[in-house]
Amino acid sequence: MLEQLKQEVYAANMLLPKYGLVTFTWGNVSAIDQEKGLFVIKPSGVEYDKLKPEDMVVCDLEGNKVEGAYNPSSDTATHAVLYREFANIGGIVHTHSAWATSWAQAGRDIPCYGTTHADYIYGAVPCVRNLTAEEIEAGYEENTGVLIAEEFKKRDIDPIATPAVLCKNHGPFTWGKDAADAVHNAVVLDEVAKMAARCEMINPENTPAPQVLQDKHYFRKHGANAYYGQKG
Amino acid sequence: MLEQLKQEVYAANMLLPKYGLVTFTWGNVSAIDQEKGLFVIKPSGVEYDKLKPEDMVVCDLEGNKVEGAYNPSSDTATHAVLYREFANIGGIVHTHSAWATSWAQAGRDIPCYGTTHADYIYGAVPCVRNLTAEEIEAGYEENTGVLIAEEFKKRDIDPIATPAVLCKNHGPFTWGKDAADAVHNAVVLDEVAKMAARCEMINPENTPAPQVLQDKHYFRKHGANAYYGQKG
Amino acid sequence: MLEQLKQEVYAANMLLPKYGLVTFTWGNVSAIDQEKGLFVIKPSGVEYDKLKPEDMVVCDLEGNKVEGAYNPSSDTATHAVLYREFANIGGIVHTHSAWATSWAQAGRDIPCYGTTHADYIYGAVPCVRNLTAEEIEAGYEENTGVLIAEEFKKRDIDPIATPAVLCKNHGPFTWGKDAADAVHNAVVLDEVAKMAARCEMINPENTPAPQVLQDKHYFRKHGANAYYGQKG
Amino acid sequence: MLEQLKQEVYAANMLLPKYGLVTFTWGNVSAIDQEKGLFVIKPSGVEYDKLKPEDMVVCDLEGNKVEGAYNPSSDTATHAVLYREFANIGGIVHTHSAWATSWAQAGRDIPCYGTTHADYIYGAVPCVRNLTAEEIEAGYEENTGVLIAEEFKKRDIDPIATPAVLCKNHGPFTWGKDAADAVHNAVVLDEVAKMAARCEMINPENTPAPQVLQDKHYFRKHGANAYYGQKG
């Protein structure tokens, strides 16, 4: 089933150690086949240098395993919710990448301090609250996804324009139009998180980039009037 | 003697430079044969690229050399005490890894700020006090081990659940079910120490992760109800 | 056209990932043929491992493409202004290198705290203000160059002696006598930015290096009385 | 002349980029032949990947070139003074390694916060004051050496036990029993500088390691009662 998608998800998972985003098995990538309503995800706790494309696990949008020799990632239920709630995303990444996780542990949104951030992520990266004991008990991974989706609705954030979130005391999720794009955004997020921490160290009174500059950079890369790259 | 264990201890020692945990010869790994009451440890001050499996030294639980061409690690007496006091551990690692050592030099416990920590280490990583002049004089390395064991008892910490400690103004020890697992925990510890320092920089008023979240992550990986990985 | 210059610009662009100055496509290098009044620049948004020398784009000093299959860098208009305004420079680099960009995001000049800085960059690295909404609207990239040139005039800074600038909430530009020299200065700038941030962390009351020491180091490497290296 | 020593100095210079201590040509190593009263040093401003053993320059203890096709390092006069003043040292290293240079730029001694430091460097690493305008004018590089030697005498520091110094707003010098040992101490110094900065970040009220612990570690590695390694 879904051999091409398994290959893509495998390749995207292998980018995580290449870009220095994971230690040991601390990360997972998935991608969805929108027509079939199925997604492919990394198995749980398998070392990256032993992974093979055929080890990828196929799940339905309730997070149930449909095909695969291994258990899917322990975060599968979170991925399933995000695919249900964020209709047009094609791939999702979860890591414990060090700088983004440090912001998550600090429980703070990452302000948009510059154009590196604005080029890819519109506005601050939101940090969602801790789940309550009841929410953890009732379904930790699923409720993580529910909380993310609620927070985006509550704050009126478009998940296509802001493809990243921090879960308090945990770590980041990013997404994109496919698995590789979701990894791209995970790399951007950690770089942005690093520079945001450092510029606050350099200037503790720092304020976000002017909205007009954020808009300029975001929209020179995205939307009808984009002119960055070769397709604009 | 203990050729298989020597091979494992050699291989685990060689992981220390691979994971960037040591500079020069600043680290050592040992592992115990519980039945024989003997442990195997790296020789003192030998460069990693010259080490061979047969160079590993066999010691008894008093820290006396039983077999080997070289002197055992200068920290051998600390390892011996920990094997006597922490009955079910199989391997021990000592390094001067930069982030964990920075916390040790700061003389602070590492609070559990997130799930990366909670996945592997239950609760804060304790930092033990300095030895007194008398304790140093009477047996520095042995009393280092005695102090660690006393601190775990005093604070009622289970060394199996919390496989790491910091020695004030010195550096970390970690342990695990075997030599490789102890190295795994040394890698986790340095990553956790790095992110804890950074999240305090990002949020100086930071507080530990909620206990219920710490419990959730620790117990989804450990114990009877674990469901992470392929054995759950 | 300008095959030799294309080769040099290509080679200089490839140095950016080698020195760790760029993530993905976040950087560009150009160099000018002063006689012809044309410059060669990297195409926009093409990945480094797919770049070829013949992909480099030739532009005139108004920033118009003169030859090339690709769109030139989105920052081309900034380069064009700098070539017009800073008469004797031969190459320009723009990156989002992490430490220099952190200072840019912090909106601060980088003080000259030591001889590493003084060896290559005379005085503080200036950080120019944000463009206004009107300036962004009227021509963001061109006005970025105009603002840099105005700031150097206003502060009476010699761009040959101070071959680097920070654009607030954006990132650095550096230049030099040719493309390779501009990259050299980009490396220097990020190293200097890193050490400046760290020495402020170590000593929050830090003050710049004495002017006489800055002069000594700058002039032992530059000008008629230089004696560093093999040409002095 | 001194072919063996040239080979050693060449090899030691090549360790600087290997250990990440230098950017471009920012470092130099020398070693002395005590009997002949001559030392061998890296040429000035030659790139590391073009260096050859025969490029090393022979100088006398006044810092005059005795043999060599190239100009010696611009810091040669500093090396010459240190060989005259610190009688039993065999090799000297100067770098702009990032963490040690950050402390130098901050103008602070590096306190001994832990055993990593105490294992190799007895007591704080001193930071000498800036030279005056007159001292710079009269002979910058020579007076740098004179100032270092005076500071060690004034503070009654034994240069054999404390083989490292910081020059304010400039960078570190280290030394050792030969060129390789001096490089070893340069690596130790940067690691120690890094951890000292980080432990102050983690605990701004940090205090040095107890003297009794510093002594224990220094003397288990050095002197008549050493027992670290294979020769104790």
Side-chain angles (χ1 to χ4, degrees), chain D residues 168-189:
Chain D
K168 188 165 189 305
N169 298 118
H170 182 33
F173 286 83
T174 61
W175 47 85
K177 63 180 198 290
D178 55 26
D181 191 44
V183 172
H184 186 282
N185 287 332
V187 175
V188 169
L189 176 62

Side-chain angles (χ1 to χ4, degrees), chain C residues 19-73:
Chain C
Y19 283 117
L21 297 180
V22 297
T23 302
F24 300 125
T25 61
W26 306 347
N28 44 71
V29 184
S30 70
I32 191 170
D33 182 318
Q34 296 278 8
E35 284 188 27
K36 296 201 173 70
L38 298 172
F39 68 94
V40 168
I41 192 165
K42 178 171 160 284
S44 180
V46 177
E47 293 176 31
Y48 283 89
D49 56 7
K50 295 180 182 164
L51 271 189
K52 296 189 298 292
E54 59 265 34
D55 297 338
M56 301 299 113
V57 184
V58 180
C59 294
D60 65 24
L61 288 178
E62 299 304 312
N64 301 307
K65 182 162 82 168
V66 172
E67 188 214 52
Y70 288 110
N71 298 335
S73 165

Side-chain angles (χ1 to χ4, degrees), chain B residues 166-199:
Chain B
L166 305 176
C167 296
K168 189 166 187 306
N169 299 118
H170 182 35
F173 286 83
T174 61
W175 47 84
K177 63 181 198 291
D178 54 27
D181 190 44
V183 172
H184 185 283
N185 287 333
V187 175
V188 170
L189 175 63
D190 212 61
E191 191 72 11
V192 160
K194 176 174 73 181
M195 296 199 297
R198 288 177 176 172
C199 74

Side-chain angles (χ1 to χ4, degrees), chain B residues 25-26 44 71 96 140-141 170, chain D residues 115-116 217 220 227 229-230:
Chain B
T25 60
W26 306 346
S44 180
N71 298 334
H96 290 215
Y140 173 60
E141 292 83 2
H170 182 35
Chain D
T115 62
T116 316
H217 269 261
R220 83 175 187 175
Y227 59 91
Q230 299 304 326

